[in-house]
Amino acid sequence: MVLADRPILGPKHILIVGSGDLGAAVAMALVAQGNTVHVLDRTPEAFDRLPDGAVEEQRIIPVVGDGTSHHDLVRAGIRGVDVFMSVMRNDSDNILAAQVATHEFNVDVVVCRVDDPDLQNMYEEMGLITIGATSLLVEVAVQTATA
Amino acid sequence: MHVIVTGADRLGRAVARWLVAGGHEIAVVDSRRERCIAIDEAFGSVSVLGSPVDRSVLAQAGANRADMLIATDEDDGANLVTCQIAKQRFEVPTTMSVVNRSDHVDLFNVLGVDVVVDVPDLILNQIQEGFTSHGITHLKPLPAVETEQSLVSIHVPASYGPEGRRLDSFPFPDGTLPSLVVTREGVPRLPSGDFMVRAGDEIIAVTTAEGEDELRDLLESGPLT
């Protein structure tokens, strides 16, 4: 399904792999916009970063598991999501998880965190949608310095 | 050939040893210093200290002129990214990777890793062999044809005796094609019908799934007279 075929408005189901500082913050921002967010992380303690209220109301659904495991991704609801984001700390883990979501589960929109700028370029060229801390910060730093 | 091995754990070291024994030029990449030291002590200065998912580290390992890259890390993500960098950035002709979770095997194949080694499946096969001791080992599935065929190794059990029996007197099931006999002395022989098969020999054969079951029964029932 191409993006244009999808309804532009309306709440989405989003699966975030990695409930670190970034994953938790993205989950909260998306929930604030009315979306439902599933969060998958290997360590249950990582879910302490999520707001209790949203979890109780099931607007955020935390699942303990490995973001590169088919079994755990299915448990976290990957078959029903519109958007998949892998935002763990390790680039390789994110790239593996994102490619599993793309090729094995055909998720419509897959976003992958890749902090190494060289790897980020390569996977962008290969068609992955990436976000990278290094390239973002460089951009902001250059803008700030030259403003 | 120039071969890059990533991961210098026991598996990576065993692969390196085998390559060096075969006269190949190797570079071994690992991010842990003590493992690199161990590699250099064993094989001369062939280690490259650094992350296997870093392009400059792979360049230092000679990725530009490498004929093959073998990823042996315990981290499937690192193995996949290493192979993808090797293909995309260095056009390494052949990439090979171990996979530590079987559910990643299809993905590695789809993404163009040339040879994918399913570690849990390999170990499980070995355990199954030991468990049933039926003397048939799966070597390789053969793709293409409509019937599912595979290459198997049949160990001729002791009950077949040292004097042996003619190969063409074995009631091989339909579709089973003996292709090579490795004698118990380790000598490979192209089998003719009058070849005498003895206990301890290994018959390499193409067979079907049904044929394999029949072969198993045949071996378990002992020598037929």
Side-chain angles (χ1 to χ4, degrees):
Chain A
M1 190 192 274
V2 294
L3 278 169
D5 291 341
R6 291 150 40 83
I8 295 166
L9 296 170
K12 290 186 166 71
H13 280 261
I14 298 150
L15 172 56
I16 297 179
V17 175
S19 187
D21 289 329
L22 178 62
V26 172
M28 283 185 265
L30 288 168
V31 162
Q33 291 185 358
N35 302 292
T36 304
V37 181
H38 307 242
V39 183
L40 183 63
D41 200 294
R42 284 192 194 91
T43 51
E45 297 76 32
F47 300 132
D48 293 347
R49 295 187 179 90
L50 302 172
D52 293 339
V55 174
E56 276 157 26
E57 291 162 19
Q58 298 204 316
R59 289 182 292 141
I60 297 184
I61 302 153
V63 177
V64 179
D66 178 346
T68 71
S69 149
H70 286 205
H71 178 76
D72 291 349
L73 287 167
V74 170
R75 278 177 49 241
I78 191 169
R79 293 200 197 280
V81 300
D82 309 294
V83 181
F84 177 95
M85 305 182 99
S86 50
V87 293
M88 294 170 275
R89 279 189 193 85
N90 183 304
D91 284 351
S92 305
D93 288 344
N94 290 332
I95 291 165
L96 175 57
Q99 293 186 109
V100 169
T102 304
H103 296 280
E104 308 272 0
F105 293 102
N106 304 313
V107 178
D108 284 349
V109 178
V110 175
V111 181
C112 179
R113 171 181 175 187
V114 185
D115 286 348
D116 178 329
D118 190 46
L119 276 183
Q120 189 182 4
N121 280 338
M122 187 178 104
Y123 283 98
E124 281 279 338
E125 285 167 24
M126 289 166 70
L128 209 59
I129 301 171
T130 65
I131 47 173
T134 313
S135 59
L136 275 177
L137 291 173
V138 167
E139 201 177 305
V140 173
V142 170
Q143 276 172 8
T144 310
T146 56
Chain B
M1 292 208 296
H2 179 58
V3 185
I4 299 175
V5 179
T6 62
D9 210 348
R10 273 173 301 175
L11 176 59
R13 227 164 23 224
V15 171
R17 184 171 303 116
W18 177 72
L19 289 167
V20 168
H24 300 291
E25 185 200 344
I26 61 163
V28 182
V29 177
D30 200 295
S31 52
R32 290 151 296 190
R33 183 174 298 277
E34 64 280 5
R35 293 207 165 138
C36 285
I37 292 168
I39 287 288
D40 289 345
E41 280 170 357
F43 309 115
S45 300
V46 295
S47 78
V48 177
L49 177 64
S51 164
V53 298
D54 183 330
R55 173 154 66 146
S56 64
V57 172
L58 292 177
Q60 216 184 314
N64 281 314
R65 60 192 173 85
D67 302 288
M68 187 184 286
L69 178 138
I70 306 175
T72 74
D73 214 281
E74 282 177 358
D75 175 353
D76 284 351
N79 286 338
L80 179 60
V81 173
T82 301
C83 288
Q84 289 186 308
I85 298 173
K87 278 277 179 214
Q88 291 290 321
R89 291 295 195 228
F90 297 103
E91 290 168 13
V92 176
T94 306
T95 57
M96 220 191 264
S97 178
V98 305
V99 172
N100 301 284
R101 290 185 62 109
S102 297
D103 55 356
H104 295 154
V105 169
D106 288 348
L107 181 72
F108 276 56
N109 280 318
V110 165
L111 295 177
V113 178
D114 298 299
V115 181
V116 181
V117 182
D118 183 342
V119 175
D121 192 55
L122 267 183
I123 295 171
L124 181 63
N125 275 345
Q126 295 264 314
I127 290 170
Q128 287 170 336
E129 293 302 326
F131 193 74
T132 57
S133 69
H134 52 50
I136 297 178
T137 310
H138 252 272
L139 300 177
K140 188 179 174 37
L142 300 176
V145 280
E146 57 279 3
T147 51
E148 211 172 281
Q149 291 188 313
S150 49
L151 198 61
V152 297
S153 147
I154 306 158
H155 284 274
V156 181
S159 56
Y160 278 76
E163 63 283 341
R165 59 182 282 179
R166 287 170 61 99
L167 184 72
D168 61 6
S169 72
F170 276 79
F172 283 121
D174 282 347
T176 298
L177 183 67
S179 315
L180 183 75
V181 175
V182 180
T183 67
R184 57 180 169 176
E185 292 85 15
V187 182
R189 305 288 294 273
L190 278 178
S192 53
D194 60 355
F195 185 85
M196 297 301 282
V197 178
R198 296 162 306 160
D201 288 355
E202 182 183 8
I203 304 170
I204 309 290
V206 175
T207 189
T208 59
E210 306 85 63
E212 203 179 315
D213 291 339
E214 282 186 52
L215 277 173
R216 193 162 295 148
D217 293 342
L218 193 68
L219 288 171
E220 275 168 8
S221 63
L224 301 167
T225 48

